[in-house]
Amino acid sequence: MTGPGAFDSLSLTELEEASGELHRRIAVTLRYIGEPRADEWDAEGLSPRRRVSGYVALLELASQTLGAITAGIATPVDRTDEHPAVVAAIMYATPTIPALLTRLEQDRRQLASLARGRETMLDLERPTPWGIVATRRVIIEAAIAEAARCAMALDRFVTHLEEATARDEGLI
């Protein structure tokens, strides 16, 4: 989990806007990559589809955590979003880029809705899969930090594709 930073002072509305912009960037880039190349591995050994599916799993874990806190029940303990079977199940459930992006947007909205319900309590610390942290940190990690990491990884993938295409065409 990232440490305290500039996002800690933002309102929930500002966090939602930043998250929405990152999600739009992810969507545009994943559409640009396209279905045929969405399963090619990058330098880190992940495909764009796998990377976005992992991010969806993280958003879902964050939503489950906020939902449990709101309901006053035990929160998830472990980082299930990092388990290959969970990510593979999301990939199976969303076999196309449009389906994956729809789920990504739905999960972003679900997290935002749950966060709005806790808006006055975002700075209260609770046990989470990320340790005992304020729910604001869960939102920042899931909706901003991981979204930014995902978007940057997709950008690196596109840069690699474009460089390879240019080499193949003798342009560089």
Side-chain angles (χ1 to χ4, degrees):
M1 178 153 293
T2 58
F7 292 109
D8 288 313
S9 62
L10 296 180
S11 70
L12 189 53
T13 300
E14 292 167 323
L15 289 173
E16 285 182 58
E17 286 181 28
S19 173
E21 287 302 317
L22 287 165
H23 283 225
R24 279 185 278 289
R25 182 172 156 192
I26 289 167
V28 166
T29 307
L30 193 56
R31 284 187 195 106
Y32 176 80
I33 292 167
E35 292 290 349
R37 293 196 154 170
D39 294 314
E40 291 180 15
W41 289 8
D42 64 14
E44 297 170 40
L46 298 174
S47 70
R49 189 183 321 272
R50 163 55 180 93
R51 187 174 299 282
V52 175
S53 294
Y55 177 47
V56 166
L58 177 81
L59 280 175
E60 291 176 359
L61 177 61
S63 291
Q64 292 166 2
T65 301
L66 262 60
I69 291 169
T70 300
I73 61 175
T75 58
V77 177
D78 296 318
R79 292 284 308 269
T80 55
D81 62 298
E82 297 175 332
H83 194 282
V86 171
V87 177
I90 289 171
M91 290 172 64
Y92 180 76
T94 57
T96 65
I97 288 174
L100 181 57
L101 293 175
T102 296
R103 185 157 178 179
L104 178 68
E105 181 60 15
Q106 289 170 338
D107 289 344
R108 183 186 74 81
R109 289 176 178 275
Q110 180 180 11
L111 182 62
S113 177
L114 287 162
R116 272 189 233 109
R118 296 200 44 78
E119 192 163 5
T120 60
M121 301 175 277
L122 290 179
D123 295 316
L124 296 177
E125 291 187 345
R126 297 285 192 258
T128 73
W130 297 271
I132 297 176
V133 297
T135 52
R136 175 183 297 277
R137 296 301 314 153
V138 173
I139 295 162
I140 290 169
E141 179 63 24
I144 305 292
E146 190 60 31
R149 286 189 285 270
C150 183
M152 290 186 295
L154 293 175
D155 286 346
R156 286 190 302 272
F157 185 84
V158 166
T159 299
H160 172 75
L161 285 179
E162 290 173 347
E163 288 172 353
T165 300
R167 271 193 306 277
D168 291 346
E169 294 174 357
L171 299 174
I172 58 172

